[in-house]
Amino acid sequence: MENGISELKKKLCYTSVHIAAEMPEDIRDAEEFCEDYKEFLDLSKTERETVATAEQIAQEAGFVPFDRSGKYKAGQKVYFVNREKSLILVTFGKKPLAEGVRFVIAHGDCPRLDLKASPVYEKDGTAFLKTHYYGGIRKYQWTTVPLSLHGVVILKNGKKVSVCIGEKDTDPRFVISDLLPHLSMEQNERKLSEGVKGEELNIVFGNIPFGDEDTKDPVKLCVLNILYDRYGITEKDLLTAELEAVPAVKACDIGLDRSMIGGYGQDDRSCVFASVSAQVMLKKPEHTAVTVIADKEEIGSCGNTGMESLFLYDFMQDLCETQNAKVRDVYRNSICLSADVGGAFDPTFRSAFEKNNSAFLGHGPVIQKYTGARGKSGASDASAETFAGIVSVLEENGVIWQTGELGKVDGGGGGTVAKYMANMDVDTIDIGVPVLSMHAPFEVTSKLDVYHTHKAVKAFLES
Ligand code: MN
Ligand code: MN
């Protein structure tokens, strides 16, 4: 009888499992895979750097720029870069485009601190940079964290200067200050959401005065002088520049068992790496495989590099012209994985989650039928057919997966690029790596999850 009941339980009940319990042989493979992943994270601190790193990986794998007038055969590989901020990788499949493609879309932008147009100022003997945060951040987390400065400045003569200060060991870093506990009694009374306010996210930039006693703002003059000496940048050039402050931390192993990875930008560069590494391994897939690194997801997928723009649609039109296919046939017959991270269950803050419907670190990529907030608002809500179809592909290929919502009902919520692809008449579903401390300067993922997300994407692109 005992036996019969446990057999029955096994047959009827479902609980998600840890990959290490089910497939211990994958621990070693995941560790090896994540050595490359950590390197990718360190090279890809901004959306531009993410696209550049992925482009290089693709070129090394034989991808060449897409030619509209070209004729392509199964197994050929092309790419398209949109304004240095989004990237499309294509491996042509055996079937004609009209039978649909396999899309995987991840985003290369991450929460960060952008510099305002006129960022440099001096106050009481210290030079600072003014910031405007990008994406959803908990502002108090970004103080007292070493920061680096990345971006692009166009000089008056038209020359484009790439800036990256704070990543090399010998580089200086930057930082946002916070009050010492001895003097924080007044600040401690603020709500946590206002513990540090947007206009208090000011980056410490310099402290040595330059000039004589009549010089106004001598410390500001000193840092501007260094900027000019090194890059030829004047204060006016900063008005039109794109400069981003990001955590100057390197990705590393977390945990005594080295089971996890800590690093900045894992939402969504974990899925970018899982997807790009899968795409470059393809030989001659059944359907044409299209991997996209999108931009601007963190602020609503807007702009001409985000998924709300026509850049992917226009590219697909061009692709269709090489086979005289109709783009509407392609979209209608396609399937899309919106490869974006999910929030991992945090045992320290369990009240934010509903445990039965949460994703756990190490239990594999989390597949979400819907995202959104307040009654699924803003979700594309994949069909049962789409969900089950994806699951069968993953299970045939030894992928451990789980499902889970982002927190409890009405606890908050969030969206992904899924709805923009669904709007194009494509069956779309969300899948991604569960993340602890998502959107923090230092996010945590499980190596096994990153590896199985890669396995999932690869199996899907080959299906
Ligand atoms: Mn994301
Ligand atoms: Mn995000």
Side-chain angles (χ1 to χ4, degrees):
M1 193 61 199
E2 271 287 291
N3 244 345
I5 298 238
S6 76
E7 281 300 303
L8 194 65
K9 255 186 129 173
K10 211 170 151 192
K11 184 174 154 193
L12 298 182
C13 300
Y14 168 80
T15 40
S16 72
V17 291
H18 198 291
I19 300 171
E22 197 80 358
M23 305 176 77
E25 68 278 12
D26 273 18
I27 295 174
R28 179 71 54 85
D29 291 346
E31 274 183 350
E32 204 172 299
F33 181 78
C34 286
E35 287 306 305
D36 291 339
Y37 171 49
K38 283 183 283 183
E39 198 184 317
F40 179 82
L41 284 178
D42 291 342
L43 291 170
S44 313
K45 291 290 189 85
T46 67
E47 72 279 38
R48 286 181 195 253
E49 291 173 4
T50 304
V51 164
T53 315
E55 184 183 355
Q56 203 189 330
I57 292 171
Q59 284 170 344
E60 281 162 14
F63 282 73
V64 296
F66 172 64
D67 173 8
R68 287 174 68 169
S69 57
K71 288 280 171 238
Y72 295 100
K73 291 200 272 299
Q76 281 189 288
K77 292 164 174 287
V78 297
Y79 72 92
F80 174 78
V81 179
N82 177 16
R83 297 171 171 86
E84 298 183 14
K85 295 183 178 186
S86 35
L87 172 72
I88 305 172
L89 301 175
V90 178
T91 303
F92 286 90
K94 289 183 239 170
K95 295 188 174 173
L97 286 168
E99 289 187 35
V101 306
R102 298 288 182 257
F103 285 109
V104 175
I105 306 186
H107 66 91
D109 64 314
C110 301
R112 60 181 192 244
L113 303 172
D114 286 343
L115 296 199
K116 289 195 188 184
S118 181
V120 194
Y121 70 100
E122 175 175 339
K123 191 144 199 209
D124 306 320
T126 297
F128 292 93
L129 296 173
K130 269 277 164 208
T131 68
H132 192 143
Y133 65 98
Y134 171 98
I137 62 165
R138 308 190 74 192
K139 299 180 194 82
Y140 70 89
Q141 294 177 337
W142 291 71
T143 63
T144 66
V145 171
L147 300 170
S148 57
L149 210 55
H150 298 240
V152 166
V153 185
I154 313 292
L155 305 185
K156 198 177 170 192
N157 61 12
K159 193 176 159 219
K160 183 152 108 182
V161 178
S162 284
V163 175
C164 178
I165 312 169
E167 293 296 338
K168 286 198 225 90
D169 289 344
T170 50
D171 278 356
R173 309 283 195 271
F174 311 99
V175 74
I176 293 166
S177 64
D178 197 0
L179 267 179
L180 56 170
H182 318 65
L183 297 179
S184 65
M185 277 177 63
E186 198 180 304
Q187 188 192 22
N188 288 347
E189 298 306 313
R190 296 183 186 178
K191 287 195 300 184
L192 186 57
S193 60
E194 290 166 6
V196 173
K197 297 175 187 173
E199 289 294 354
E200 291 169 343
L201 292 173
N202 303 319
I203 297 173
V204 175
F205 200 48
N207 185 243
I208 289 182
F210 187 72
D212 52 40
E213 70 262 29
D214 293 332
T215 309
K216 191 178 171 278
D217 295 341
V219 182
K220 173 178 170 179
L221 190 63
C222 183
V223 291
L224 285 178
N225 194 44
I226 295 170
L227 273 183
Y228 187 74
D229 264 1
R230 194 181 302 174
Y231 300 102
I233 296 171
T234 65
E235 189 173 19
K236 194 178 176 194
D237 296 328
L238 294 176
L239 297 178
T240 57
E242 261 179 43
L243 288 168
E244 309 173 6
V246 299
V249 289
K250 297 237 181 294
C252 63
D253 291 348
I254 294 285
L256 194 58
D257 54 9
R258 296 181 176 268
S259 55
M260 295 163 281
I261 288 185
Y264 164 68
Q266 300 199 71
D267 171 10
D268 188 32
R269 294 179 190 134
S270 57
C271 294
V272 168
F273 184 72
S275 305
V276 169
S277 57
Q279 170 73 240
V280 299
M281 287 168 77
L282 300 176
K283 301 282 187 256
K284 284 183 185 171
E286 289 300 310
H287 296 84
T288 293
V290 182
T291 298
V292 181
I293 302 176
D295 183 33
K296 296 286 183 283
E297 193 278 339
E298 294 295 355
I299 57 168
S301 294
C302 38
N304 57 12
T305 52
M307 285 309 298
E308 234 185 344
S309 102
L310 285 175
F311 82 90
L312 178 61
Y313 181 82
D314 286 345
F315 175 85
M316 292 306 294
Q317 288 262 27
D318 291 342
L319 208 60
C320 283
E321 278 173 22
T322 67
Q323 292 187 7
N324 292 321
K326 288 194 175 73
V327 73
R328 64 171 182 271
D329 289 333
V330 179
Y331 274 110
R332 191 179 294 142
N333 294 321
S334 291
I335 310 173
C336 176
L337 294 185
S338 159
D340 203 345
V341 300
F345 182 82
D346 187 338
T348 301
F349 299 102
R350 47 209 329 272
S351 69
F353 300 86
E354 189 260 292
K355 201 176 161 192
N356 286 348
N357 287 282
S358 292
F360 288 80
L361 281 188
H363 290 215
V366 49
I367 309 182
Q368 290 178 270
K369 186 178 185 298
Y370 51 86
T371 57
R374 297 174 306 281
K376 302 189 181 181
S377 243
S380 70
D381 209 355
S383 70
E385 291 86 342
T386 304
F387 198 161
I390 293 296
V391 164
S392 82
V393 171
L394 301 199
E395 293 193 343
E396 275 165 27
N397 288 278
V399 176
I400 306 284
W401 65 280
Q402 59 181 328
T403 186
E405 289 195 18
L406 186 61
K408 62 184 180 188
V409 175
D410 291 339
T416 65
V417 302
K419 62 179 172 183
Y420 306 105
M421 287 308 284
N423 285 351
M424 303 308 294
D425 197 20
V426 178
D427 284 322
T428 307
I429 192 160
D430 282 295
I431 183 170
V433 177
V435 178
L436 264 188
S437 316
M438 194 200 290
H439 285 204
F442 193 74
E443 302 171 311
V444 175
T445 58
S446 142
K447 289 181 181 177
L448 282 161
D449 292 338
V450 177
Y451 180 54
H452 270 244
T453 302
H454 159 83
K455 279 176 56 166
V457 169
K458 185 161 177 283
F460 167 74
L461 291 176
E462 284 171 342
S463 69

